[in-house]
Amino acid sequence: MTIDGRIARGDRTRAAVLDRAVARATEDGLDGLSLGQLATDLGVSKSGLFAHWRSKEELQLATIDRAAEQFREHVTRPALTAPRGVRRLWALHDHRIAFYESSVLPGGCFFAKVQFEFSARPGLVRDRLAGIFELWTEFVEGLAREAINTGELSPETDTQQLAYEIESFALTAVMKSRLLLSPDIAYRYARRAARDRLCALTTHPELLPEV
């Protein structure tokens, strides 16, 4: 096998391990990850995985980065194809709920699981998570400001409050879908809550779909 072939095979193994790590972390948390278990899950050599991650913390950080990339693939990028304004804000929430509904991740939401796990534990993992949460909040607030600039949201809209509420709707749906409500009801409520909030703020409610 050529050097390029070995590199490509190594990259595929790394990607497969990280995808499995993200899925496992939604159920077992980042502390529940181990190279031994991931190797068993995927039928690969545990010793080979040490070439990619020399410590559990390195694996945890790489898993966080892969989870963020998955979120961009399934949620952010598709949402950005919607027209600027209130429809793009709605699309972001709708694609996020659809990602949870798809069962790509068995525990529902990677970030909902790990933020509680590490919120009171200082260190590199917590810092990486905090940075991602900060960027996400800024992104949602930016879309809200964009909707104000297009004239589709009231200029009096508190963009920080709106971002907070939309985040709350999504996280509550994940929790309730596993503990108290059937997933279809929990996610329908999350869509309805966001739509109702946006309808109360938009100057063009006809742009939003019925849910």
Side-chain angles (χ1 to χ4, degrees), residues 27 47 70 75 100 121 135 141 149 169 197-199 206:
E27 295 183 306
S47 60
Q70 280 188 355
V75 179
Y100 297 156
R121 296 166 57 178
L135 288 174
E141 290 175 10
N149 292 336
F169 300 150
R197 187 69 182 114
L198 290 173
C199 278
E206 72 279 0

Side-chain angles (χ1 to χ4, degrees), residues 87-161:
R87 284 168 291 183
R88 186 170 291 182
L89 262 176
W90 165 255
L92 189 70
H93 182 71
D94 187 42
H95 281 291
R96 182 176 184 177
I97 298 302
F99 182 37
Y100 297 156
E101 287 176 318
S102 71
S103 299
V104 171
L105 302 178
C109 179
F110 174 88
F111 291 103
K113 177 74 173 181
V114 302
Q115 69 175 314
F116 291 110
E117 186 182 7
F118 280 87
S119 61
R121 296 166 57 178
L124 290 177
V125 173
R126 182 184 183 279
D127 292 345
R128 182 69 58 85
L129 289 169
I132 289 173
F133 295 146
E134 183 176 6
L135 288 174
W136 169 251
T137 300
E138 290 174 352
F139 179 71
V140 179
E141 290 175 10
L143 292 189
R145 288 192 295 271
E146 189 176 75
I148 292 172
N149 292 336
T150 63
E152 292 181 6
L153 276 187
S154 165
E156 286 77 35
T157 299
D158 184 333
T159 57
Q160 291 181 330
Q161 176 71 25

Side-chain angles (χ1 to χ4, degrees), residues 60-99:
Q60 290 173 332
L61 292 170
T63 301
I64 292 168
D65 291 343
R66 176 55 188 147
E69 178 57 28
Q70 280 188 355
F71 199 85
R72 287 190 289 270
E73 290 172 2
H74 290 273
V75 179
T76 308
R77 289 172 189 153
L80 289 176
T81 65
R84 294 175 184 269
V86 71
R87 284 168 291 183
R88 186 170 291 182
L89 262 176
W90 165 255
L92 189 70
H93 182 71
D94 187 42
H95 281 291
R96 182 176 184 177
I97 298 302
F99 182 37

